[in-house]
Amino acid sequence: MAYKGLGDFIDAIEARGELRRIKVEVDPILEITEIADRVMRSNGPALLFEKVKGSSYPLLINAMGSEERMALALGAKTLDEKAAEIEGLIAWAFKQAGEPSLLAAIPGALPKLPAFLSVLPRHVARPACREIVSDTEGFSSLPVLQCWPKDGGRFLTLPLVCTRDPESGTQNIGMYRMQVYDDRSSGMHWHLHKDGARIFEKYRAKGERMPVAVALGCDPVVTYASTAPLPEGVWEILFAGFLRGKSVEITKATMSDIEVPADAEFVLEGYVDPEEKRVEGPFGDHTGFYSLEDEYPVFHLERITRRRSPIYPATIVGIPPKEDCWMAKATERLFLPFLKLLCPEITDLCMPLEGVFHNCVIVSIKKRYPGQARKVMNFLWGMGQMMYTKLIVVVDDDVSARDQSMVAWKAFNNIDAGRDLVFSEGPLDALDHSSPRPRYGTRLGVDATRKLRGEGHDRPWPDPLAMDDRITRLVDGRWKEYGI
Ligand SMILES: Cc1cc2nc3c(=O)[nH]c(=O)nc-3n(C[C@H](O)[C@H](O)[C@H](O)COP(=O)(O)O)c2cc1C
Ligand SMILES: [Mn+2]
């Protein structure tokens, strides 16, 4: 099951009764935020604003705004179901690797072939994203939101920024917000650590203009994939194809050799000048605070290609829960099988919504040896965007990382501050406002596992309380007799 594009997904949501069409005119300046914020806080429906002041295009928001709709976007009933599928594929691949000969592996491999082939994208010559081509329409044709009162302006909040590495030729899609400066220019807010910025540095070193194409409104799997913490050099389109179980349709942009999702509602083509920078922000951000002004590159819009009747996609971020929390939950679930592969003592992991993506990670481990909780902390801090994790709490595997009351009980009772806290200096997210310096600071690890003798704990560690099975069964049987 794969969506043909955003419109197809909207139909699926509407069929479940989870879409509201707003017919009255609304203002993209603040009014939509206040409406969407109230709906997101109550885990409410997706909203399609049919009449947005100042634009002829409808605006979709909160399409992925619940765990169920996020799973639906990935073609599954639950995020755990999708994660189990990935875990199954990994286990299967390992089993195949153990086959004594290639010939013996073939019968088992054949049924899995479609899943692997779907990773590869398919080129289409007459894409839906190019029904109309315009060199005169600019940002002011779009219903771009001003989200919060102190924002520096209006921002594209769900853009899929497509670029190509000038050396390796590999492509990248990252979601980086874009602040509209005027009809033909915007900010390009790729943080220092992200692939977009890394590729930009290569153009700058060559002294060349960087072609950029921005897709708006795609199959939600592609939108999600552009936010996923993939390894450097892995094109998000491949991951999206893998997730949807069907090749993503792509097409070459008209002004560069960048390939874009063919089903997009809009594609904005243009370039970034390697020498130009401009103040970007402030912006009411994922953290629930305003991120501060800073200098970022500038995107110059040259051409808009679009569908005949396109829908403009948007989101707002802010104090959790917002729509982005469910994208983060998808990442937590889908990437856990990969983390377990590299660090097998991990049994579960939870990033509470209040931690906003990566400020807090709780991890359960099967501990066998002294120092293992610290080993896991260092593993996580070394894994791509996990380097941003400001707080890691490690518990034993008899505690579910997702049961916050149990985690708190263990963490409050199991730690000796002199021994069990780990301070680790390293990179932080560009959005972090608490560290004295931008993008660099101190992360905290809390080892809330049961301590071993080899960890300097020379006295016995007590068992947690649990009633005898015999007694619980007895009380179960007699419960009515007690008359409680
Ligand atoms: C709604 C939303 C907005 C985002 N905005 C930005 C942004 O402005 N700048 C940025 O660097 N990352 C932003 N991110 C996070 C990136 O999309 C994410 O880190 C992604 O993995 C980057 O892709 P890359 O590794 O290919 O650079 C945003 C994520 C979401 C869900
Ligand atoms: Mn990437």
Side-chain angles (χ1 to χ4, degrees), residues 100-111:
S101 77
L102 195 59
L103 219 59
I106 287 174
L110 282 179

Side-chain angles (χ1 to χ4, degrees), residues 27 91 96 102 130 247 262 266 356 382 389 438 456 462:
D27 200 326
Q96 295 299 302
L102 195 59
R130 206 171 294 150
S247 295
F266 299 88
V356 193
T389 310

Side-chain angles (χ1 to χ4, degrees), residues 172-173 195 230 234 236:
N172 191 72
I173 308 185
D195 289 341
L230 295 175
V234 176
E236 285 69 10

Side-chain angles (χ1 to χ4, degrees), residues 327-374:
M327 299 187 210
K329 265 292 154 210
T331 293
E332 175 201 294
R333 292 291 103 200
L334 299 189
F335 281 76
L336 180 58
F338 298 107
L339 293 175
K340 280 181 173 175
L341 188 66
L342 298 169
C343 188
E345 57 266 59
I346 293 180
T347 56
D348 201 3
L349 180 147
C350 178
M351 297 154 84
L353 300 189
E354 294 79 2
V356 193
F357 287 68
H358 37 241
N359 281 342
C360 175
V361 171
I362 298 163
V363 56
S364 320
I365 67 165
K366 193 158 187 59
K367 179 168 161 182
R368 287 196 302 117
Y369 52 78
Q372 201 163 358
R374 286 166 190 254

